[in-house]
Amino acid sequence: MPVTKGTTIDPERTRAAILQAATPLLYQRGLDGIGVAELCARIGVSKETLYRHFGTKDGLVAAMLEVRSQRVSDWLAAAVAAAGEDPADQLAAIFDALRQWHEEPTFRGCAVVNAAAQHHDQTVRAITARHLDRYLGLLTDIAERAGAAAPAALARQLLILVEGATVVAAHHRTTGTADQAREAALILLATATATPPGS
Amino acid sequence: MPVTKGTTIDPERTRAAILQAATPLLYQRGLDGIGVAELCARIGVSKETLYRHFGTKDGLVAAMLEVRSQRVSDWLAAAVAAAGEDPADQLAAIFDALRQWHEEPTFRGCAVVNAAAQHHDQTVRAITARHLDRYLGLLTDIAERAGAAAPAALARQLLILVEGATVVAAHHRTTGTADQAREAALILLATATATPPGS
DNA sequence: ATGAGATCGAACCGATCGGTACGATCTGCG
DNA sequence: CGCAGATCGTACCGATCGGTTCGATCTCAT
């Protein structure tokens, strides 16, 4: 929300406020499910202000996806960092964090992946690819620290579990999806680290 | 395409033709990415005909999602049936079929799940839930025939892998996603069937 | 031959879309 | 004080949206 009527102390603040307020609206209603006019009305900002900051509705969408992707990744990385040294504990912490996310009443799947399912344009696809890369980096670190025989392959399997759990939790009414994914992840981790071929 | 100008031999044929022609258009462009006018023009049918058969754009979308869901499920079931008796072979066959699907140049993820990511209305959500139920039924059969200790839990883990592989294949440029999911699925199957608790 | 019904093509509807323009207002800086 | 610029509110733009209507055309069954 623009702090007052005229110039706020910091235009950058307005931009951030718009992003923060627009994110849940675009997430809940879908990128095409809410128009710019209603968006501005709910945010409490004029269209001119929004367009000066983001140029285009797509520009706003791209900016908000970027922020969202970074925030989620940071959140998962923090969960890993808080889980101690054991790679298995770190992996479990990721899926515990996912469960927490999935249980939020407003949960509707991953905003970034949902966006890619709607807009097939190149910008959104690139953001989504980077988003998955962030996840993959996190999981690769864990796989490497665990001493997996093929860390990259294991990390991709774990990424499939993370994304699969999110999709299933979003679209299928069943409880404990994240827990089942967690169990599967730990089995894959144990299998990939056991019996190193040359030992 | 309506076979001729006036009454076709069978109006049911027209309905099916509309569905078949509309499906790839809605899939490629997104449900909101193409309007009814252009849709009708590309299909080669008048708006009046489309609206008489489906009542609403949402009606068309629902009908096409239903058909699509059934077709994909049947296709996977056929792959299972062709894989012989061994549950592990049947499971592997599912992921081989997925890989084949993911490699199609027009692949953009699962149409049903994508639709749920766009339209949050109740109808689409119900279709998507049933879609996942179909997958789950297929996987539960395999888990039971394999003698898994907890077939339902294993089936859900496999469902997570199926959906996860599809999402990752759609949005992340990496090869062999289905193969990695397949390997993970076989590990989970082996783990779930080994060491029956009371033996 | 006639009538029922399916279809076309095009015109038409009100609503909404993304985006722009404008005059007024307010703030911070020099 | 006065200017630059950020913001508001509103009106406006052309385009497109989903959906309806109508007259003409064609097929089939009677």
Side-chain angles (χ1 to χ4, degrees):
Chain A
M1 81 276 278
V3 178
T4 69
K5 182 68 169 302
T7 296
T8 355
I9 298 179
D10 181 5
E12 216 49 48
R13 198 81 93 196
T14 304
R15 187 191 149 98
I18 293 176
L19 273 178
Q20 188 175 342
T23 298
L25 292 168
L26 290 166
Y27 177 58
Q28 291 297 320
R29 306 262 301 257
L31 301 185
D32 292 331
I34 186 169
V36 176
E38 183 181 353
L39 205 46
C40 288
R42 302 235 187 209
I43 294 175
V45 88
S46 72
K47 292 176 75 174
E48 180 166 1
T49 299
L50 187 145
Y51 276 102
R52 180 156 27 77
H53 280 295
F54 300 99
T56 281
K57 188 187 185 183
D58 284 347
L60 169 68
V61 167
M64 92 95 176
L65 289 178
E66 203 72 69
V67 170
R68 183 87 167 197
S69 170
Q70 193 66 60
R71 266 204 55 196
V72 174
S73 301
D74 289 350
W75 182 60
L76 287 184
V80 167
E85 296 284 340
D86 182 11
D89 287 344
Q90 296 176 342
L91 188 56
I94 287 184
F95 287 91
D96 288 340
L98 284 183
R99 174 173 46 75
Q100 203 176 318
W101 181 29
H102 298 170
E103 282 170 356
E104 290 176 12
T106 59
F107 174 70
R108 294 204 170 280
C110 171
V112 182
V113 169
N114 285 357
Q118 307 176 45
H119 284 10
H120 295 163
D121 67 275
Q122 202 51 46
T123 305
V124 172
R125 292 188 67 81
I127 292 174
T128 306
R130 275 206 304 274
H131 182 65
L132 296 187
D133 278 336
R134 288 195 182 101
Y135 281 7
L136 199 55
L138 207 63
L139 296 168
T140 302
D141 277 355
I142 293 177
E144 285 173 347
R145 278 199 297 268
L154 175 59
R156 287 184 185 178
Q157 291 176 331
L158 296 175
L159 176 64
I160 292 170
L161 283 176
V162 167
E163 290 302 320
T166 300
V167 168
V168 172
H171 301 308
H172 196 245
R173 251 313 142 241
T174 177
T175 55
T177 300
D179 290 338
Q180 283 148 3
R182 171 185 140 137
E183 185 193 347
L186 292 178
I187 290 173
L188 293 181
L189 180 71
T191 303
T193 53
T195 64
S199 144
Chain B
M1 84 272 279
V3 179
T4 68
K5 180 66 169 303
T7 296
T8 355
I9 298 179
D10 181 3
E12 217 47 50
R13 199 80 94 194
T14 304
R15 187 191 148 97
I18 292 175
L19 273 178
Q20 187 174 344
T23 298
L25 291 168
L26 290 167
Y27 177 58
Q28 290 298 319
R29 306 261 301 255
L31 301 185
D32 292 331
I34 186 170
V36 176
E38 183 181 352
L39 206 46
C40 288
R42 301 231 188 211
I43 294 175
V45 87
S46 72
K47 292 176 76 173
E48 180 166 3
T49 299
L50 187 146
Y51 275 103
R52 179 156 29 76
H53 281 295
F54 300 98
T56 282
K57 188 187 185 184
D58 284 347
L60 169 68
V61 166
M64 91 95 176
L65 289 178
E66 204 71 71
V67 170
R68 182 87 168 196
S69 170
Q70 194 66 60
R71 265 202 56 196
V72 173
S73 302
D74 290 349
W75 182 59
L76 287 183
V80 167
E85 295 284 339
D86 182 12
D89 287 345
Q90 294 177 342
L91 189 56
I94 288 183
F95 288 91
D96 287 341
L98 284 184
R99 175 172 45 76
Q100 203 175 318
W101 181 29
H102 297 170
E103 283 170 354
E104 291 176 11
T106 59
F107 174 70
R108 295 204 170 280
C110 170
V112 181
V113 169
N114 285 357
Q118 308 175 46
H119 284 11
H120 296 163
D121 67 277
Q122 202 52 46
T123 305
V124 172
R125 293 188 65 82
I127 292 174
T128 307
R130 275 206 303 277
H131 182 65
L132 296 187
D133 278 336
R134 289 196 181 101
Y135 281 6
L136 198 55
L138 207 64
L139 297 168
T140 303
D141 277 355
I142 292 176
E144 285 172 348
R145 277 198 298 270
L154 174 59
R156 286 182 186 179
Q157 291 176 331
L158 297 175
L159 177 63
I160 292 170
L161 284 176
V162 168
E163 290 301 321
T166 300
V167 168
V168 171
H171 300 308
H172 196 244
R173 253 313 143 241
T174 175
T175 55
T177 301
D179 290 338
Q180 283 149 2
R182 171 183 140 139
E183 185 194 347
L186 292 177
I187 291 173
L188 293 181
L189 180 70
T191 304
T193 52
T195 65
S199 143

